[in-house]
Amino acid sequence: MTLLVLGGTSEGRQLAEALAAQGRDFILSLSGATRSPAQTSGRRRVGGFGGRDGFAAYLKAESIDAIIDATHPFAAYMSVRSHGVAAELGLPYLQILRPEWVPGARDCWIAIASESEAADFIAPGQTAFLATGRQTLHRFANLTHAKLICRQIDPPVGPFPFANGAFLVGRPPFSVAHERALFQKLEIDWLVVKNAGGAASATKLTAARELKVPVLMLRRPEPPDCARVSDVAGALRWLGKM
Ligand code: NAP
């Protein structure tokens, strides 16, 4: 049985290692968004499939028998599209979706549905740390009255798209101490975050809580209507029952 793992997350990497350890036949697929992705065991391919038809053609050409979607909770297009194609072809499809973060009593979070809502909360002259990634940076175009800092994994290839901001390069994971020191040094007033979930990237939320920095938390997009587990162990159990 050949398995296709749609990756781009720590779960995708962990699943690849677990499948390699079990001697399973699998291909890990990465979008190519990160220039130097972490090494993993087993077969891997990089880059988009060329849309819906390209994806369907790839599944047939590689004789894929089942798909595990370990893409990021905000890679919603990929998940919905891939599930749709798998359903058409009658292929088993499982999504690994980490539980959402939920605020505790000492957290000051405001949920927002889109990046453009951030401008309603951030006052003129304030500094916002955008932990939301470079690919969706353009969605903050109406936040012209604040200072913006956008963290990304790769060194920037071009200038910041707006006059009021700068990139900051950093490769996760980051410790709470690192995040706290960084936020203090940058004197941030707001943290803007996607509700990605997961312990590794929650350190920025702990640092914000400790520093009493308010958080604008982007709500998740709708996931596909498919079988779902919350972690790699669940995915391995699903495979074991096939
Ligand atoms: P997206 O908007 O849902 O998908 C855009 C296109 O990227 C897809 O149509 C597909 O191209 C290609 N693609 C996405 N994931 C792929 C994969 N695993 N293998 C091959 N092609 C893939 O996705 P996105 O939000 O830009 O995310 C891109 C990648 O970054 C994903 O793998 C995701 O797991 C990872 N990531 C995303 C975020 C985030 O906040 N969105 C955060 C961390 C990591 P074709 O149509 O040509 O097949």
Side-chain angles (χ1 to χ4, degrees):
M1 183 179 85
T2 304
L3 186 65
L4 178 66
V5 176
L6 302 174
T9 57
S10 54
E11 286 87 348
R13 290 193 295 278
Q14 289 161 15
L15 183 61
E17 295 309 330
L19 295 173
Q22 291 184 356
R24 286 187 183 266
D25 181 25
F26 73 94
I27 302 167
L28 173 66
S29 175
L30 302 177
S31 73
T34 303
R35 270 177 249 153
S36 308
Q39 289 301 309
T40 44
S41 306
R43 281 201 280 166
R44 122 167 156 184
R45 64 165 300 286
V46 180
F49 294 94
R52 199 179 176 88
D53 292 346
F55 185 58
Y58 178 87
L59 296 175
K60 287 177 197 156
E62 293 292 336
S63 302
I64 299 297
D65 297 297
I67 300 169
I68 297 188
D69 174 2
T71 59
H72 191 270
F74 280 74
Y77 173 76
M78 186 63 181
S79 293
V80 172
R81 189 282 307 278
S82 302
H83 174 246
V85 172
E88 277 168 25
L89 298 178
L91 295 179
Y93 191 96
L94 179 80
Q95 184 185 31
I96 303 179
L97 190 65
R98 309 167 197 159
E100 287 187 316
W101 291 317
V102 289
R106 290 168 50 233
D107 287 308
C108 173
W109 297 5
I110 298 169
I112 54 174
S114 72
E115 287 83 348
S116 61
E117 289 179 27
D120 299 339
F121 298 95
I122 301 172
Q126 287 191 315
T127 300
F129 188 93
L130 309 179
T132 42
R134 110 191 105 86
Q135 283 175 326
T136 46
L137 189 51
H138 60 278
R139 298 184 190 164
F140 292 98
N142 66 338
L143 196 48
T144 52
H145 54 270
K147 183 178 164 195
L148 309 180
I149 299 161
C150 175
R151 182 160 62 192
Q152 62 170 42
I153 294 177
D154 293 314
V157 285
F160 202 78
F162 320 122
N164 56 321
F167 286 117
L168 177 83
V169 176
R171 184 177 280 267
F174 306 106
S175 67
V176 174
H178 173 279
E179 299 294 63
R180 198 173 43 227
L182 180 67
F183 295 168
Q184 282 179 310
K185 188 177 106 187
L186 298 172
E187 298 183 344
I188 70 161
D189 300 297
W190 289 89
L191 175 63
V192 187
V193 176
K194 288 173 175 168
N195 196 333
S201 51
T203 52
K204 54 184 172 284
L205 298 172
T206 308
R209 182 192 310 136
E210 291 176 0
L211 296 171
K212 297 189 168 48
V213 168
V215 176
L216 291 175
M217 182 64 73
L218 278 157
R219 289 195 195 97
R220 284 185 178 183
E222 275 297 305
D225 183 15
C226 67
R228 189 168 298 129
V229 292
S230 59
D231 56 18
V232 170
L236 294 173
R237 282 194 295 275
W238 180 81
L239 266 181
K241 288 182 200 152
M242 284 184 74

